[in-house]
Amino acid sequence: MNIIKMSITRPTTVVVMFVILAFFGVYSLTQLNRELMPRMEFDVISVSTLYPGAGASEVENSVTKKIEDAVSSIEGIEEITSTSIENFSLVTIRLKAGSDLDKALQNAQRKVNAIRSDLPESVKEPSINDFSLADIPIMTIGAVANMSETEFYDLIDHEIKPALERIPGVAQVTLIGGNEREIQVNINEERMAAYGLSILDISNVLINSNLDFPTGKIKSDNKQTQIRLQGKYSSLADIENVILKYMPDRTAVKVKDVADVHDGSKEIETLSRINGIPSIGITVQRSTDANTVEISETTRGILDALESEYEASGLDFMIAADNAEFTLEASNSVMIDLVIAIILVAFTMLLFLCSVRNSIIVSIAIPLSLVSTFIVMYLLGFSLNLMSLLAITLVVGILVDDAIVVIENIHRHMEMGKNRMQAAYDGLREIGGTIVSITLVLVVVFIPISLT
């Protein structure tokens, strides 16, 4: 009775263990982050600075050299390169291999902050960043619609862009091209000189007249009232009627007396076309730990909803590039390779060993072995990318070879009259060292690739 109980309980326990292993393996696979390339850190720091209105020589002398001198004392620097062009300075710091990138970023920020007061007042705040593959857009989208260019740009900038930025995992959405609205004040030089004004005078008045800020409060016995100056321009007439100065006879000189104000658009510096059709380009960047496939699926859903919402305006999105497609294709290829491997091994077992049982065992063992791999990948924080998928493909080949050799040797011992347990033990012990040695040789071949 005890023998029968053991013979029933042991297979049941094994099946339960296999089911639990398969469950956790499938769960781990669904939780793995899918991306095109693995996470890699580049030991490069960039310091970019805008200096509006400055020539290349002035940018180099007033900004670039000062930043170079400041960051040159950072520990672990291998090379510093710089570029100075009109309105812009870029200093690139390459660190030695193995340097602490986070610490270097903090040191660079501290060094630049220390010399901030030495830079010209009109210089914008320097931006310090490290290079990451996450900065590369995962999606590039082209948008077209049947509306005016400036109205279309406002729609994309004020409605579409915020909707995409709210997607979980999206770090930044950038617009390319388009015709952005701009209120232009075209000054007549002769009239300006006749009234004794300069461009700086007009500019300062226009800026200072377009303000919205609190000015104080009024207190009474039982309440307190906040006073706020609302001086933002709401129409072209508001700009035209801004008083620039008073003449000796107390006549007010307004903007419309010296300039023409009209609602125009900014100068187009970047063009975006999809299939030769002028459009506004939209690039989507993900955060470091975000799932590329999930972001892509969510983005496509939101774009479809927006197309339906603005159908009357002829809004249409065309996806020019999507990294999720390459990632899914790579994962599907691995799954197809796995299925083909299982079929070929099962057919080989059936053809040469004439054993349906061995074919079924191999067909179950191979996917279960890979399932355990997904569990380890999930626990160690790996992702499904081109490199890990390539490794899984190689492992499938190694696993197929080992499975055929081991099953064949166990089958040989069973033909000697041994029971299944003894045949399995003897067959594996006999060639176990050889199998491990062959596998390690294959692993050693690929070690140099992992170190590049």
Side-chain angles (χ1 to χ4, degrees):
M1 187 69 177
N2 292 335
I3 297 177
I4 296 176
K5 186 177 181 181
M6 286 183 63
S7 64
I8 295 175
T9 304
R10 185 172 296 171
T12 304
T13 304
V14 173
V15 171
V16 171
M17 290 178 61
F18 282 166
V19 171
I20 294 174
L21 180 65
F23 172 79
F24 282 107
V26 173
Y27 174 79
S28 300
L29 178 60
T30 58
Q31 297 300 311
L32 285 176
N33 185 14
R34 299 186 181 186
E35 53 192 4
L36 186 62
M37 295 298 295
R39 301 186 192 108
M40 291 186 290
E41 287 189 352
F42 297 87
D43 298 329
V44 176
I45 299 173
S46 65
V47 183
S48 55
T49 311
L50 286 175
Y51 188 3
S57 178
E58 186 178 358
V59 170
E60 181 180 9
N61 295 325
S62 303
V63 179
T64 304
K65 288 184 177 180
K66 292 181 179 180
I67 293 178
E68 282 183 340
D69 294 338
V71 301
S72 60
S73 59
I74 295 177
E75 185 179 355
I77 291 180
E78 183 171 335
E79 183 183 22
I80 297 179
T81 58
S82 62
T83 303
S84 300
I85 59 177
E86 187 176 354
N87 304 327
F88 183 72
S89 165
L90 176 64
V91 177
T92 304
I93 307 166
R94 187 156 60 91
L95 305 174
K96 295 178 181 178
S99 299
D100 189 335
L101 183 60
D102 293 334
K103 182 178 178 181
L105 275 170
Q106 295 174 3
N107 290 337
Q109 184 69 64
R110 189 172 65 254
K111 300 287 186 182
V112 172
N113 290 341
I115 65 157
R116 181 65 182 89
S117 59
D118 296 334
L119 301 179
E121 292 184 1
S122 58
V123 168
K124 304 297 183 181
E125 194 67 31
S127 175
I128 303 175
N129 300 291
D130 63 324
F131 179 76
S132 172
L133 288 178
D135 297 334
I136 300 175
I138 60 171
M139 294 186 72
T140 302
I141 307 162
V144 296
N146 299 325
M147 58 178 67
S148 65
E149 294 182 348
T150 54
E151 184 183 358
F152 180 40
Y153 188 93
D154 287 342
L155 172 65
I156 297 294
D157 190 31
H158 300 149
E159 301 293 336
I160 311 301
K161 182 181 177 182
L164 297 179
E165 289 176 334
R166 288 192 293 267
I167 297 175
V170 172
Q172 184 178 359
V173 177
T174 305
L175 303 184
I176 303 174
N179 203 345
E180 187 176 358
R181 182 188 181 192
E182 182 181 69
I183 304 300
Q184 298 177 348
V185 180
N186 299 322
I187 300 173
N188 185 299
E189 184 178 359
E190 294 180 356
R191 283 187 282 172
M192 180 182 67
Y195 286 111
L197 293 169
S198 66
I199 293 179
L200 183 60
D201 294 332
I202 299 174
S203 175
N204 289 335
V205 171
L206 288 175
I207 293 174
N208 294 329
S209 300
N210 188 36
L211 298 177
D212 186 354
F213 58 90
T215 57
K217 54 190 175 181
I218 300 175
K219 290 184 179 180
S220 62
D221 294 337
N222 56 359
K223 67 178 181 180
Q224 175 176 295
T225 304
Q226 297 287 341
I227 301 176
R228 187 175 189 86
L229 173 63
Q230 295 183 344
K232 289 286 187 180
Y233 301 135
S234 58
S235 65
L236 296 182
D238 291 343
I239 302 175
E240 291 176 336
N241 292 318
V242 170
I243 298 175
L244 299 175
K245 65 179 294 187
Y246 286 96
M247 300 299 290
D249 59 356
R250 305 306 298 170
T251 303
V253 179
K254 300 180 179 180
V255 171
K256 62 183 178 181
D257 296 326
V258 297
D260 298 324
V261 182
H262 65 92
D263 193 345
S265 59
K266 287 186 177 181
E267 181 181 355
I268 299 177
E269 297 179 352
T270 307
L271 296 176
S272 174
R273 289 188 174 90
I274 296 293
N275 297 328
I277 303 173
S279 65
I280 296 179
I282 306 172
T283 61
V284 180
Q285 294 176 222
R286 66 178 180 86
S287 56
T288 305
D289 298 326
N291 191 313
T292 302
V293 176
E294 290 181 359
I295 292 176
S296 173
E297 293 174 350
T298 306
T299 301
R300 288 175 180 269
I302 290 178
L303 295 181
D304 291 339
L306 290 171
E307 285 181 345
S308 301
E309 182 179 352
Y310 295 98
E311 184 177 2
S313 301
L315 181 62
D316 184 29
F317 296 101
M318 293 171 281
I319 298 178
D322 185 359
N323 288 351
E325 295 180 355
F326 301 103
T327 305
L328 289 174
E329 287 177 4
S331 353
N332 293 336
S333 298
V334 171
M335 296 299 115
I336 293 173
D337 291 343
L338 176 59
V339 172
I340 294 175
I342 293 173
I343 294 174
L344 290 177
V345 173
F347 178 75
T348 302
M349 295 291 101
L350 185 63
L351 180 64
F352 291 97
L353 302 182
C354 301
S355 173
V356 176
R357 182 186 181 86
N358 289 337
S359 299
I360 295 175
I361 291 174
V362 172
S363 301
I364 296 175
I366 292 177
L368 277 177
S369 300
L370 283 180
V371 159
S372 60
T373 302
F374 294 136
I375 297 176
V376 175
M377 290 177 63
Y378 173 67
L379 293 177
L380 295 180
F382 287 97
S383 62
L384 280 180
N385 51 68
L386 291 181
M387 297 302 294
S388 59
L389 291 173
L390 173 62
I392 292 174
T393 304
L394 294 173
V395 169
V396 169
I398 296 173
L399 188 61
V400 167
D401 293 341
D402 294 347
I404 292 176
V405 174
V406 171
I407 291 294
E408 190 278 331
N409 200 46
I410 293 174
H411 185 77
R412 183 175 64 85
H413 279 274
M414 290 180 63
E415 290 180 342
M416 295 179 184
K418 298 179 181 179
N419 60 50
R420 295 170 183 170
M421 293 296 295
Q422 189 64 39
Y425 176 76
D426 293 341
L428 184 59
R429 184 186 63 176
E430 188 175 64
I431 63 172
T434 305
I435 292 295
V436 172
S437 300
I438 295 174
T439 303
L440 290 178
V441 168
L442 295 174
V443 170
V444 168
V445 172
F446 293 99
I447 285 180
I449 296 179
S450 66
L451 299 177
T452 56

